[in-house]
Amino acid sequence: MKKSDPIAIIGGGYAGMAAAMELAAHGQPLEVFEAGPVLGGRARRVEIDGVALDNGQHMAIGAYAELLRLMQLAGISEAEGFVRTPLELDVQQGNQRVFRLACPRLPAPLHTLAGLLWADGLSWGERISAIRAMAAAQLRGFQLTQDTTVANWLADHGQSAHLVRCLWEPLTLAALNTPIATASAQVLLNVLRDSLAGKRAASDFLLPATDLSALFPEAAGRYLAERNCTVHTGAMVKQVVQSTEGWQLDRSARRYSQLILALPPHRLAMLAEHLPALTPVCALLDEWTWQPIYTVYLRYPAGTRLPKAMQGMVGSSTQWLFDRGRLCGQDGLLAAVISAEGPHEAWSQAQLAAAVTAEIAQAHPQLPAPLWHKVIAEKRATFACTAGLQRPGNATADPALWLAGDYTAGDYPATLEGAVRSGVAAARACLAAQPPIG
């Protein structure tokens, strides 16, 4: 085995394409195999009646350094990919604003302090309470002696029910996609450390200005093509066999020196029969639970606009509302996002769309009736990021088999940045395992 031997990557989502770019940047030949028709995995473009939608309305923050680095390397500038805005949580219940947190353009950590001090919808006691909770976390280096749930951590720091409902719960659902009753406080603190407590720009919202496949994976594919690396779409790998000559995929004659599995965690089991190194990983994942994300797209008449590109909602099924006309130039298209488990899972798509339409009408009575709707449900959008969850690393018991994905061990929950970081880590481990040329 030498550096000239190709590496196979199964999965063309954010983790797989990040791994491929990192390998290609070091001159490593490789092939990527993606089962779907487009790249992106669980963050991909879905075309409905000629309209480019996403299978979920993802967003990023300024702290996502690895994603931004690889996008730039692939030829996508931040300005092309995102609309950057200072952190602002504008939350309504019905047509009444109940909370607003806006961090001004001040040096860190003054931006967070000022934002909390002047947050609308909080009493002075609640503002001081939130500041104390952040200060206590910072004094401990955002590190808990033992992980606990977000709900327990908030109770320990005397956060009021109103503060939890309008600030902490929306932040937790947006970041971890897990209810606060079970969500990991340590992982939430990791996110707060890098965003609200990081550099001022680290807390900025980065709202995608294009579809999620174009945002990074397709640009990564062009980067690979320029370096004579091949990306296959519509190519589901059903069987992997290892021999002394390397890895063989679906009886293809080609052999690969190393293999990176950049699949959703619940799909690893389909390859485990011939990969004994996956047995302990699959046993671990069998104990996990999963969380959904529902996105309801509503097309309104041309010219329909929300006051802002992004708005939070409480007391409703809808948690976040995005104006894709403002973000992506898709005039009149709104995206309503419902994170994590809830009663909406039992509703039909028609029932969910009707409920969301009514909630939007109550929040914005000036809007006309929508012309059509589309519901996209990712039932296993993310792993449940629960307190104390044990996550597998990139390495397996086989020194030529690696894992990449937002579920692997790391500081972050299941996010675009978590996926990219894992892909880069798997690629670097692969490179370190390759003997030098000659």
Side-chain angles (χ1 to χ4, degrees):
M1 183 177 69
K2 53 187 181 297
K3 190 174 181 179
S4 59
D5 291 333
I7 292 173
I9 301 172
I10 302 179
Y14 274 63
M17 298 308 287
M21 279 192 67
E22 186 71 13
L23 291 171
H26 287 81
Q28 173 64 54
L30 61 95
E31 286 188 71
V32 178
F33 299 85
E34 165 56 39
V38 298
L39 299 172
R42 285 167 291 146
R44 68 186 182 278
R45 179 177 61 252
V46 178
E47 292 194 12
I48 306 293
D49 297 331
V51 180
L53 307 176
D54 291 310
N55 70 318
Q57 184 68 47
H58 295 258
M59 59 175 286
I61 57 175
Y64 285 7
E66 275 299 275
L67 174 59
L68 292 172
R69 177 183 72 85
L70 288 184
M71 285 176 57
Q72 184 176 26
L73 186 62
I76 301 293
S77 69
E78 181 191 305
E80 290 177 284
F82 292 111
V83 174
R84 178 186 280 262
T85 63
L87 183 148
E88 181 178 0
L89 297 177
D90 200 329
V91 180
Q92 285 189 208
Q93 181 166 6
N95 63 356
Q96 299 294 317
R97 174 190 281 171
V98 293
F99 176 71
R100 180 176 180 268
L101 169 69
C103 290
R105 294 186 181 278
L106 294 173
L110 293 177
H111 67 309
T112 303
L113 176 63
L116 290 171
L117 272 176
W118 300 109
D120 292 340
L122 299 181
S123 67
W124 275 107
E126 288 170 328
R127 295 170 188 172
I128 298 303
S129 176
I131 291 170
R132 283 176 174 168
M134 283 291 295
Q138 193 156 15
L139 283 172
R140 292 171 174 79
F142 292 92
Q143 194 68 40
L144 298 175
T145 304
Q146 183 175 352
D147 198 5
T148 186
T149 67
V150 172
N152 286 341
W153 183 78
L154 295 174
D156 290 343
H157 288 83
Q159 305 298 282
S160 71
H162 177 71
L163 195 53
V164 170
R165 185 170 68 102
C166 294
L167 173 61
W168 297 115
E169 188 167 32
L171 281 178
T172 302
L173 289 173
L176 276 64
N177 194 43
T178 305
I180 62 171
T182 56
S184 165
Q186 182 58 69
V187 175
L188 178 63
L189 290 178
N190 295 342
V191 175
L192 295 177
R193 175 197 65 206
D194 293 349
S195 56
L196 287 177
K199 295 180 180 179
R200 193 216 59 76
S203 64
D204 286 351
F205 285 155
L206 302 181
L207 305 177
T210 183
D211 68 77
L212 294 173
S213 291
L215 180 67
F216 168 67
E218 290 180 341
R222 293 190 293 271
Y223 178 92
L224 296 176
E226 291 168 359
R227 286 152 183 81
N228 299 315
C229 299
T230 306
V231 177
H232 308 274
T233 56
M236 176 178 285
V237 176
K238 298 179 180 178
Q239 188 180 65
V240 175
V241 177
Q242 188 181 31
S243 70
T244 55
E245 298 177 352
W247 296 98
Q248 183 181 10
L249 311 184
D250 289 339
R251 300 180 181 176
S252 168
R254 191 164 194 190
R255 299 294 193 273
Y256 302 91
S257 61
Q258 298 195 68
L259 179 62
I260 297 177
L261 298 181
L263 294 167
H266 53 274
R267 289 190 57 210
L268 290 177
M270 73 179 190
L271 297 177
E273 180 181 355
H274 298 286
L275 299 174
L278 287 184
T279 300
V281 176
C282 291
L284 177 66
L285 298 179
D286 281 345
E287 302 298 320
W288 286 19
T289 55
W290 312 93
Q291 290 289 340
I293 297 178
Y294 285 69
T295 306
V296 181
Y297 289 98
L298 300 121
R299 168 71 82 183
Y300 288 81
T304 302
R305 287 284 188 274
L306 293 179
K308 296 180 180 179
M310 172 183 169
Q311 178 194 316
M313 296 173 65
V314 295
S316 58
S317 299
T318 304
Q319 296 158 353
W320 301 99
L321 191 59
F322 295 87
D323 185 339
R324 287 177 68 97
R326 289 183 176 274
L327 295 172
C328 311
Q330 295 179 310
D331 192 26
L333 186 63
L334 304 186
V337 177
I338 307 169
S339 297
E341 62 197 23
H344 60 278
E345 294 178 90
W347 301 348
S348 69
Q349 289 197 358
Q351 288 173 321
L352 180 57
V356 168
T357 300
E359 291 165 358
I360 295 173
Q362 185 179 17
H364 299 283
Q366 79 281 5
L367 295 186
L371 304 175
W372 57 254
H373 70 264
K374 172 64 179 177
V375 178
I376 297 180
E378 280 283 344
K379 299 294 182 69
R380 293 187 173 191
T382 70
F383 63 92
C385 191
T386 54
L389 184 70
Q390 183 183 356
R391 295 160 63 176
N394 295 108
T396 70
D398 189 316
L401 177 64
W402 309 88
L403 303 177
D406 58 16
Y407 67 96
T408 59
D411 283 354
Y412 276 25
T415 58
L416 300 180
E417 178 74 0
V420 167
R421 288 189 183 192
S422 178
V424 170
R428 289 174 178 171
C430 264
L431 290 169
Q434 295 276 54
I437 295 177

